[in-house]
């Protein structure tokens, strides 16, 4: 007897209900994509560990939840509003043309309303369940990213990401103030670490996509300078970043674990930065320079550095 069943290659019949569900899923995915979840993950990774460090142990669970929710909504709001303003160049760049607005999955007006609602909601969440200082810092970071970086700096200066990157430094301050209710030198040092980390991280990515930026007239450093100069600048910022990370030891009177981790991670990152600079001095070919190696290394460096910030009080108290 021969079994006759549905063929693997035969199209499945879908009723109106399944088609509608698929559309809803697509729309939800489009809105979530506008918030740039991967960027949010990195921002939260510089928020939560600082809360552990500020508490010198484990912070209250619901305080962490409220801070994470408020921070996620704030970062998502900034990303959505960035997508709305940059939709013209996003449509032309290979790296961004699959976003919801270039694909017309979400209208600019709907995205604008969505971004503003997220911003207002984040401010309310942080103000009510965390504190007003953390809420104000998150709102300031959001406004700086959208109004200063996106609308003023990004398309006008090669220093766009240097100063525009300030917005991404605020999570360290927000995590600290969520626990203590006040600012101190320790979170300022971590703020500075992220500030000096941002150019090497972003320029490595921009070097990989420099033709995209050139086509849309965004003057990222890799567009206007040879790869060797980009590599040199990356090395300079990397040295300052590592030196700044070690300042946390005397400033915050950490235990032995953090400085040991910071020195090890910094040394590894500096080796990778120097290697990329060496490759860039010999060629302009991206495949030979391999800038994405440094980009991925920078993500790992920052993640592990802030994990060590959280672990230090747990291991050495």
């Amino acid at each position: 007897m021969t079994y006759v069943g549905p063929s693997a290659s035969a199209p499945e019949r879908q009723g109106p209900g399944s088609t509608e569900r698929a559309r809803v899923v697509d729309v939800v995915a489009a809105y979530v994509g506008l918030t740039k979840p991967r960027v949010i993950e990195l921002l939260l990774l510089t928020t939560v560990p600082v809360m552990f460090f500020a508490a010198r142990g484990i912070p209250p669970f619901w305080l962490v939840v409220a801070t994470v929710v408020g921070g996620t909504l704030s970062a998502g709001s900034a990303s959505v509003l960035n997508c709305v303003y940059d939709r013209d160049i996003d449509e032309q760049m290979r790296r961004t043309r699959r976003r919801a607005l270039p694909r017309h999955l979400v209208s600019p007006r709907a995205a604008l309303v969505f971004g503003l609602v997220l911003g207002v909601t984040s401010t309310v969440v942080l103000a009510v369940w965390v504190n007003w200082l953390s809420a104000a810092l998150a709102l300031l970071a959001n406004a700086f990213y959208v109004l200063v970086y996106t609308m003023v700096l990004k398309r006008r200066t090669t220093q766009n990401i240097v100063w525009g990157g300030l917005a991404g430094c605020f999570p360290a301050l927000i995590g600290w103030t969520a626990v203590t209710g006040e600012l101190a030198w320790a979170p300022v040092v971590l703020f500075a670490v992220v500030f000096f980390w941002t150019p090497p991280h972003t320029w490595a990515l921009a070097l990989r996509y420099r033709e995209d930026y050139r086509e849309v007239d965004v003057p990222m450093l890799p567009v206007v300078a040879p790869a060797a100069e980009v590599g040199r600048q990356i090395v300079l910022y990397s040295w300052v970043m590592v030196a700044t990370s070690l300042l946390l030891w005397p400033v915050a009177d950490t235990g032995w674990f953090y400085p040991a981790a910071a020195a090890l991670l910094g040394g590894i990152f500096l080796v990778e930065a120097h290697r990329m600079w060496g490759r860039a001095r010999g060629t302009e070919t991206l495949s030979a320079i391999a800038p994405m190696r440094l980009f991925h290394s920078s993500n790992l460096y920052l993640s592990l550095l802030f994990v060590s910030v959280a672990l230090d009080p747990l291991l050495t108290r």
Side-chain angles (χ1 to χ4, degrees), residues 26-105:
D26 288 342
V27 171
V28 171
Y31 277 98
V32 171
L34 285 172
T35 66
K36 303 180 185 177
R38 296 181 70 179
V39 174
I40 292 175
E41 289 174 11
L42 199 60
L43 293 175
L44 292 179
L45 195 58
T46 58
T47 303
V48 177
V50 177
M51 297 183 71
F52 278 73
F53 190 66
R56 297 290 176 173
I58 301 175
F61 175 75
W62 288 112
L63 180 63
V64 174
V65 170
T67 306
V68 166
V69 171
T72 297
L73 294 173
S74 180
S77 168
S79 294
V80 173
L81 297 175
N82 169 266
C83 286
V84 172
Y85 189 83
D86 278 349
R87 64 188 183 278
D88 58 330
I89 60 176
D90 282 351
E91 196 164 358
Q92 302 175 58
M93 297 176 64
R94 287 174 300 164
R95 187 173 66 88
T96 57
R97 64 178 52 155
R98 298 296 297 169
R99 290 176 178 172
L101 287 170
R103 293 172 62 196
H104 307 289
L105 297 176

Side-chain angles (χ1 to χ4, degrees), residues 50-52 54-55 59-60 63 130-131 134 174-182:
V50 177
M51 297 183 71
F52 278 73
L63 180 63
V130 183
N131 57 58
S134 297
I174 294 167
W176 182 275
T177 58
V179 173
T180 67
E182 60 185 12

Side-chain angles (χ1 to χ4, degrees), residues 148-275:
V148 178
Y149 169 67
T150 301
M151 300 179 69
V152 177
L153 297 175
K154 183 174 181 178
R155 307 192 193 200
R156 289 177 172 84
T157 173
T158 58
Q159 296 297 301
N160 48 17
I161 198 60
V162 175
W163 300 109
L166 281 169
C169 306
F170 275 82
L173 302 181
I174 294 167
W176 182 275
T177 58
V179 173
T180 67
E182 60 185 12
L183 288 170
W185 283 112
V188 171
V189 171
L190 293 171
F191 178 101
V193 170
V194 181
F195 176 78
F196 291 116
W197 167 88
T198 301
H201 169 77
T202 309
W203 285 336
L205 181 66
L207 188 57
R208 166 66 178 83
Y209 292 100
R210 63 184 175 185
E211 294 305 320
D212 276 5
Y213 287 108
R214 180 176 287 119
E215 288 178 6
V216 295
D217 295 324
V218 174
M220 299 292 287
L221 183 64
V223 172
V224 301
E229 175 60 19
V230 176
R232 187 182 75 86
Q233 295 273 359
I234 284 175
V235 166
L236 289 175
Y237 273 93
S238 298
W239 273 99
V240 177
M241 174 192 73
V242 173
T244 304
S245 72
L246 293 172
L247 278 178
L248 187 66
W249 179 20
V251 167
D253 190 27
T254 71
W256 61 266
F257 181 78
Y258 172 79
L264 177 62
L265 294 169
I268 294 171
F269 187 82
L270 287 173
V271 168
E272 189 60 44
H274 276 275
R275 284 177 175 172

Side-chain angles (χ1 to χ4, degrees), residues 2-28:
T2 302
Y3 171 74
V4 179
S7 170
S9 59
E12 296 182 7
R13 294 183 179 179
Q14 294 186 342
S18 59
T19 302
E20 186 62 30
R21 284 194 297 273
R23 289 175 181 170
V24 170
V25 170
D26 288 342
V27 171
V28 171

